[in-house]
mmCIF file of all heavy atoms in Angstrom:
data_model
loop_
_atom_site.group_PDB
_atom_site.id
_atom_site.type_symbol
_atom_site.label_atom_id
_atom_site.label_comp_id
_atom_site.label_asym_id
_atom_site.label_seq_id
_atom_site.Cartn_x
_atom_site.Cartn_y
_atom_site.Cartn_z
ATOM 1 N N ASN A 681 -116.131 -53.674 -43.202
ATOM 2 C CA ASN A 681 -117.119 -53.718 -42.048
ATOM 3 C C ASN A 681 -116.762 -54.926 -41.109
ATOM 4 O O ASN A 681 -115.973 -55.756 -41.427
ATOM 5 C CB ASN A 681 -118.527 -53.940 -42.609
ATOM 6 C CG ASN A 681 -119.543 -53.250 -41.724
ATOM 7 O OD1 ASN A 681 -119.454 -53.275 -40.516
ATOM 8 N ND2 ASN A 681 -120.682 -52.865 -42.367
ATOM 9 N N TYR A 682 -117.403 -54.937 -39.957
ATOM 10 C CA TYR A 682 -117.243 -56.002 -39.026
ATOM 11 C C TYR A 682 -117.745 -57.346 -39.751
ATOM 12 O O TYR A 682 -118.841 -57.408 -40.366
ATOM 13 C CB TYR A 682 -118.041 -55.821 -37.724
ATOM 14 C CG TYR A 682 -117.616 -54.678 -36.985
ATOM 15 C CD1 TYR A 682 -118.356 -53.541 -36.905
ATOM 16 C CD2 TYR A 682 -116.399 -54.818 -36.266
ATOM 17 C CE1 TYR A 682 -117.906 -52.393 -36.148
ATOM 18 C CE2 TYR A 682 -115.996 -53.716 -35.458
ATOM 19 C CZ TYR A 682 -116.718 -52.477 -35.403
ATOM 20 O OH TYR A 682 -116.331 -51.495 -34.662
ATOM 21 N N GLY A 683 -116.944 -58.484 -39.660
ATOM 22 C CA GLY A 683 -117.288 -59.696 -40.254
ATOM 23 C C GLY A 683 -116.871 -59.771 -41.681
ATOM 24 O O GLY A 683 -117.199 -60.811 -42.346
ATOM 25 N N SER A 684 -116.057 -58.810 -42.204
ATOM 26 C CA SER A 684 -115.534 -58.905 -43.589
ATOM 27 C C SER A 684 -114.382 -59.768 -43.738
ATOM 28 O O SER A 684 -113.992 -60.109 -44.889
ATOM 29 C CB SER A 684 -115.332 -57.568 -44.214
ATOM 30 O OG SER A 684 -114.304 -56.893 -43.334
ATOM 31 N N GLY A 685 -113.677 -60.122 -42.687
ATOM 32 C CA GLY A 685 -112.500 -60.988 -42.752
ATOM 33 C C GLY A 685 -111.189 -60.253 -42.728
ATOM 34 O O GLY A 685 -110.172 -60.842 -43.226
ATOM 35 N N LYS A 686 -111.088 -59.070 -42.190
ATOM 36 C CA LYS A 686 -109.856 -58.276 -42.141
ATOM 37 C C LYS A 686 -108.787 -59.022 -41.420
ATOM 38 O O LYS A 686 -107.649 -59.086 -41.892
ATOM 39 C CB LYS A 686 -110.070 -56.848 -41.583
ATOM 40 C CG LYS A 686 -111.129 -56.009 -42.226
ATOM 41 C CD LYS A 686 -111.244 -54.637 -41.696
ATOM 42 C CE LYS A 686 -111.633 -54.686 -40.244
ATOM 43 N NZ LYS A 686 -112.999 -55.188 -40.126
ATOM 44 N N SER A 687 -109.079 -59.469 -40.241
ATOM 45 C CA SER A 687 -108.032 -60.207 -39.359
ATOM 46 C C SER A 687 -107.549 -61.533 -40.063
ATOM 47 O O SER A 687 -106.343 -61.753 -39.954
ATOM 48 C CB SER A 687 -108.660 -60.482 -38.006
ATOM 49 O OG SER A 687 -108.961 -59.184 -37.305
ATOM 50 N N ASP A 688 -108.490 -62.178 -40.619
ATOM 51 C CA ASP A 688 -108.031 -63.448 -41.314
ATOM 52 C C ASP A 688 -107.149 -63.122 -42.550
ATOM 53 O O ASP A 688 -106.093 -63.775 -42.715
ATOM 54 C CB ASP A 688 -109.336 -64.243 -41.933
ATOM 55 C CG ASP A 688 -110.028 -64.762 -40.783
ATOM 56 O OD1 ASP A 688 -109.629 -64.988 -39.650
ATOM 57 O OD2 ASP A 688 -111.322 -65.135 -40.986
ATOM 58 N N LEU A 689 -107.441 -62.067 -43.264
ATOM 59 C CA LEU A 689 -106.495 -61.735 -44.357
ATOM 60 C C LEU A 689 -105.200 -61.243 -43.856
ATOM 61 O O LEU A 689 -104.060 -61.587 -44.447
ATOM 62 C CB LEU A 689 -107.202 -60.580 -45.138
ATOM 63 C CG LEU A 689 -106.430 -60.157 -46.435
ATOM 64 C CD1 LEU A 689 -106.418 -61.074 -47.492
ATOM 65 C CD2 LEU A 689 -106.950 -58.686 -46.918
ATOM 66 N N ALA A 690 -105.190 -60.585 -42.753
ATOM 67 C CA ALA A 690 -103.849 -60.021 -42.169
ATOM 68 C C ALA A 690 -103.066 -61.166 -41.746
ATOM 69 O O ALA A 690 -101.857 -61.289 -41.957
ATOM 70 C CB ALA A 690 -104.248 -59.097 -40.991
ATOM 71 N N ARG A 691 -103.604 -62.147 -41.060
ATOM 72 C CA ARG A 691 -102.873 -63.335 -40.555
ATOM 73 C C ARG A 691 -102.304 -64.153 -41.749
ATOM 74 O O ARG A 691 -101.303 -64.779 -41.667
ATOM 75 C CB ARG A 691 -103.756 -64.155 -39.681
ATOM 76 C CG ARG A 691 -103.937 -63.644 -38.301
ATOM 77 C CD ARG A 691 -104.571 -64.664 -37.387
ATOM 78 N NE ARG A 691 -105.867 -65.001 -37.794
ATOM 79 C CZ ARG A 691 -107.017 -64.351 -37.316
ATOM 80 N NH1 ARG A 691 -106.819 -63.414 -36.384
ATOM 81 N NH2 ARG A 691 -108.225 -64.627 -37.660
ATOM 82 N N THR A 692 -103.120 -64.336 -42.812
ATOM 83 C CA THR A 692 -102.806 -65.176 -43.971
ATOM 84 C C THR A 692 -101.686 -64.619 -44.788
ATOM 85 O O THR A 692 -100.782 -65.283 -45.262
ATOM 86 C CB THR A 692 -103.997 -65.463 -44.840
ATOM 87 O OG1 THR A 692 -105.034 -66.060 -43.984
ATOM 88 C CG2 THR A 692 -103.674 -66.369 -45.891
ATOM 89 N N TYR A 693 -101.740 -63.258 -45.099
ATOM 90 C CA TYR A 693 -100.882 -62.679 -46.064
ATOM 91 C C TYR A 693 -99.805 -61.719 -45.543
ATOM 92 O O TYR A 693 -98.901 -61.305 -46.258
ATOM 93 C CB TYR A 693 -101.668 -61.920 -47.151
ATOM 94 C CG TYR A 693 -102.509 -62.893 -48.029
ATOM 95 C CD1 TYR A 693 -103.835 -63.053 -47.763
ATOM 96 C CD2 TYR A 693 -101.905 -63.689 -49.017
ATOM 97 C CE1 TYR A 693 -104.651 -63.943 -48.552
ATOM 98 C CE2 TYR A 693 -102.663 -64.565 -49.781
ATOM 99 C CZ TYR A 693 -103.991 -64.743 -49.635
ATOM 100 O OH TYR A 693 -104.771 -65.589 -50.334
ATOM 101 N N PHE A 694 -100.120 -61.120 -44.374
ATOM 102 C CA PHE A 694 -99.282 -60.006 -43.874
ATOM 103 C C PHE A 694 -98.542 -60.202 -42.554
ATOM 104 O O PHE A 694 -98.298 -59.269 -41.874
ATOM 105 C CB PHE A 694 -100.064 -58.759 -43.888
ATOM 106 C CG PHE A 694 -100.644 -58.374 -45.091
ATOM 107 C CD1 PHE A 694 -101.971 -58.602 -45.444
ATOM 108 C CD2 PHE A 694 -99.904 -57.735 -46.158
ATOM 109 C CE1 PHE A 694 -102.463 -58.314 -46.769
ATOM 110 C CE2 PHE A 694 -100.384 -57.390 -47.438
ATOM 111 C CZ PHE A 694 -101.695 -57.607 -47.718
ATOM 112 N N ARG A 695 -98.293 -61.416 -42.257
ATOM 113 C CA ARG A 695 -97.581 -61.771 -40.953
ATOM 114 C C ARG A 695 -96.122 -61.090 -40.808
ATOM 115 O O ARG A 695 -95.617 -60.945 -39.766
ATOM 116 C CB ARG A 695 -97.520 -63.183 -40.709
ATOM 117 C CG ARG A 695 -98.770 -63.835 -40.163
ATOM 118 C CD ARG A 695 -98.651 -65.317 -39.942
ATOM 119 N NE ARG A 695 -99.801 -65.881 -39.258
ATOM 120 C CZ ARG A 695 -99.995 -65.831 -37.947
ATOM 121 N NH1 ARG A 695 -99.172 -65.291 -37.081
ATOM 122 N NH2 ARG A 695 -101.160 -66.371 -37.363
ATOM 123 N N HIS A 696 -95.640 -60.762 -42.028
ATOM 124 C CA HIS A 696 -94.249 -60.250 -42.036
ATOM 125 C C HIS A 696 -94.234 -58.776 -41.722
ATOM 126 O O HIS A 696 -93.212 -58.186 -41.536
ATOM 127 C CB HIS A 696 -93.619 -60.382 -43.444
ATOM 128 C CG HIS A 696 -94.441 -59.869 -44.572
ATOM 129 N ND1 HIS A 696 -95.646 -60.351 -44.912
ATOM 130 C CD2 HIS A 696 -94.129 -58.821 -45.346
ATOM 131 C CE1 HIS A 696 -96.057 -59.591 -45.940
ATOM 132 N NE2 HIS A 696 -95.278 -58.681 -46.231
ATOM 133 N N ARG A 697 -95.437 -58.225 -41.449
ATOM 134 C CA ARG A 697 -95.554 -56.782 -41.150
ATOM 135 C C ARG A 697 -96.029 -56.616 -39.600
ATOM 136 O O ARG A 697 -96.709 -57.455 -39.084
ATOM 137 C CB ARG A 697 -96.598 -56.006 -42.028
ATOM 138 C CG ARG A 697 -96.117 -55.818 -43.483
ATOM 139 C CD ARG A 697 -97.299 -55.152 -44.249
ATOM 140 N NE ARG A 697 -96.916 -54.884 -45.648
ATOM 141 C CZ ARG A 697 -96.460 -53.729 -46.091
ATOM 142 N NH1 ARG A 697 -96.377 -52.660 -45.216
ATOM 143 N NH2 ARG A 697 -96.057 -53.547 -47.287
ATOM 144 N N LYS A 698 -95.683 -55.429 -39.030
ATOM 145 C CA LYS A 698 -96.122 -55.115 -37.830
ATOM 146 C C LYS A 698 -97.598 -54.641 -37.986
ATOM 147 O O LYS A 698 -97.985 -54.020 -38.852
ATOM 148 C CB LYS A 698 -95.261 -54.033 -37.158
ATOM 149 C CG LYS A 698 -93.908 -54.390 -36.799
ATOM 150 C CD LYS A 698 -93.865 -55.505 -35.890
ATOM 151 C CE LYS A 698 -92.418 -55.842 -35.439
ATOM 152 N NZ LYS A 698 -92.300 -56.850 -34.455
ATOM 153 N N ARG A 699 -98.438 -55.119 -37.016
ATOM 154 C CA ARG A 699 -99.894 -54.892 -37.195
ATOM 155 C C ARG A 699 -100.448 -54.040 -36.062
ATOM 156 O O ARG A 699 -100.073 -54.192 -34.948
ATOM 157 C CB ARG A 699 -100.689 -56.243 -37.238
ATOM 158 C CG ARG A 699 -102.118 -56.138 -37.231
ATOM 159 C CD ARG A 699 -102.694 -57.557 -37.430
ATOM 160 N NE ARG A 699 -104.168 -57.593 -37.240
ATOM 161 C CZ ARG A 699 -104.850 -57.902 -36.091
ATOM 162 N NH1 ARG A 699 -104.055 -58.332 -35.040
ATOM 163 N NH2 ARG A 699 -106.147 -57.908 -35.989
ATOM 164 N N VAL A 700 -101.261 -53.058 -36.378
ATOM 165 C CA VAL A 700 -101.907 -52.165 -35.536
ATOM 166 C C VAL A 700 -103.391 -52.243 -35.708
ATOM 167 O O VAL A 700 -103.894 -52.079 -36.905
ATOM 168 C CB VAL A 700 -101.474 -50.703 -35.689
ATOM 169 C CG1 VAL A 700 -102.268 -49.829 -34.761
ATOM 170 C CG2 VAL A 700 -99.944 -50.588 -35.372
ATOM 171 N N ASP A 701 -104.158 -52.642 -34.640
ATOM 172 C CA ASP A 701 -105.520 -52.894 -34.846
ATOM 173 C C ASP A 701 -106.258 -52.150 -33.628
ATOM 174 O O ASP A 701 -106.123 -52.572 -32.489
ATOM 175 C CB ASP A 701 -105.855 -54.390 -34.687
ATOM 176 C CG ASP A 701 -107.297 -54.749 -34.912
ATOM 177 O OD1 ASP A 701 -108.230 -53.859 -34.556
ATOM 178 O OD2 ASP A 701 -107.690 -55.857 -35.287
ATOM 179 N N ARG A 702 -107.047 -51.094 -34.016
ATOM 180 C CA ARG A 702 -107.693 -50.263 -32.920
ATOM 181 C C ARG A 702 -108.712 -51.133 -32.124
ATOM 182 O O ARG A 702 -108.752 -50.980 -30.857
ATOM 183 C CB ARG A 702 -108.401 -48.997 -33.560
ATOM 184 C CG ARG A 702 -108.937 -48.115 -32.544
ATOM 185 C CD ARG A 702 -109.836 -47.134 -33.159
ATOM 186 N NE ARG A 702 -109.231 -46.244 -34.143
ATOM 187 C CZ ARG A 702 -109.774 -45.431 -34.989
ATOM 188 N NH1 ARG A 702 -111.085 -45.310 -34.866
ATOM 189 N NH2 ARG A 702 -109.090 -44.941 -35.956
ATOM 190 N N HIS A 703 -109.415 -51.999 -32.770
ATOM 191 C CA HIS A 703 -110.367 -52.825 -32.049
ATOM 192 C C HIS A 703 -109.742 -53.714 -31.002
ATOM 193 O O HIS A 703 -110.204 -53.825 -29.894
ATOM 194 C CB HIS A 703 -111.064 -53.709 -33.152
ATOM 195 C CG HIS A 703 -112.361 -54.437 -32.538
ATOM 196 N ND1 HIS A 703 -113.452 -53.760 -32.070
ATOM 197 C CD2 HIS A 703 -112.577 -55.718 -32.376
ATOM 198 C CE1 HIS A 703 -114.286 -54.585 -31.693
ATOM 199 N NE2 HIS A 703 -113.886 -55.800 -31.833
ATOM 200 N N GLU A 704 -108.499 -54.294 -31.308
ATOM 201 C CA GLU A 704 -107.856 -55.077 -30.386
ATOM 202 C C GLU A 704 -107.175 -54.246 -29.273
ATOM 203 O O GLU A 704 -107.169 -54.647 -28.042
ATOM 204 C CB GLU A 704 -106.694 -55.912 -31.069
ATOM 205 C CG GLU A 704 -107.379 -57.032 -31.893
ATOM 206 C CD GLU A 704 -106.330 -58.020 -32.327
ATOM 207 O OE1 GLU A 704 -105.174 -58.078 -31.719
ATOM 208 O OE2 GLU A 704 -106.537 -58.845 -33.225
ATOM 209 N N ILE A 705 -106.741 -53.057 -29.568
ATOM 210 C CA ILE A 705 -106.252 -52.070 -28.515
ATOM 211 C C ILE A 705 -107.411 -51.882 -27.539
ATOM 212 O O ILE A 705 -107.173 -51.878 -26.299
ATOM 213 C CB ILE A 705 -105.752 -50.843 -29.187
ATOM 214 C CG1 ILE A 705 -104.595 -51.038 -30.039
ATOM 215 C CG2 ILE A 705 -105.478 -49.821 -28.083
ATOM 216 C CD1 ILE A 705 -104.117 -49.892 -30.750
ATOM 217 N N ARG A 706 -108.540 -51.623 -28.071
ATOM 218 C CA ARG A 706 -109.772 -51.322 -27.202
ATOM 219 C C ARG A 706 -109.926 -52.544 -26.170
ATOM 220 O O ARG A 706 -110.298 -52.298 -25.050
ATOM 221 C CB ARG A 706 -110.902 -51.020 -28.072
ATOM 222 C CG ARG A 706 -112.236 -50.645 -27.272
ATOM 223 C CD ARG A 706 -113.365 -50.413 -28.285
ATOM 224 N NE ARG A 706 -113.069 -49.151 -29.125
ATOM 225 C CZ ARG A 706 -112.901 -49.218 -30.452
ATOM 226 N NH1 ARG A 706 -112.903 -50.322 -31.107
ATOM 227 N NH2 ARG A 706 -112.748 -48.052 -31.109
ATOM 228 N N HIS A 707 -109.952 -53.755 -26.850
ATOM 229 C CA HIS A 707 -110.267 -54.925 -25.839
ATOM 230 C C HIS A 707 -109.155 -55.102 -24.815
ATOM 231 O O HIS A 707 -109.427 -55.319 -23.606
ATOM 232 C CB HIS A 707 -110.267 -56.173 -26.802
ATOM 233 C CG HIS A 707 -111.634 -56.428 -27.447
ATOM 234 N ND1 HIS A 707 -112.721 -57.099 -26.888
ATOM 235 C CD2 HIS A 707 -112.153 -55.974 -28.652
ATOM 236 C CE1 HIS A 707 -113.682 -57.061 -27.635
ATOM 237 N NE2 HIS A 707 -113.318 -56.434 -28.789
#
């Protein structure tokens, strides 16, 4: 859900992967 920390987890552990985020695309 919103506020669960998805983006923080992605930045911390998965920077070596390409990231696709629909919310950011929308912005």
Side-chain angles (χ1 to χ4, degrees):
N681 210 328
Y682 295 108
S684 60
K686 298 185 299 296
S687 296
D688 288 339
L689 182 71
R691 282 191 295 267
T692 302
Y693 294 101
F694 298 103
R695 281 186 174 272
H696 57 291
R697 289 176 176 264
K698 295 297 184 182
R699 175 171 170 262
V700 176
D701 183 333
R702 187 190 303 172
H703 191 64
E704 289 193 16
I705 295 173
R706 186 180 292 113
H707 278 272

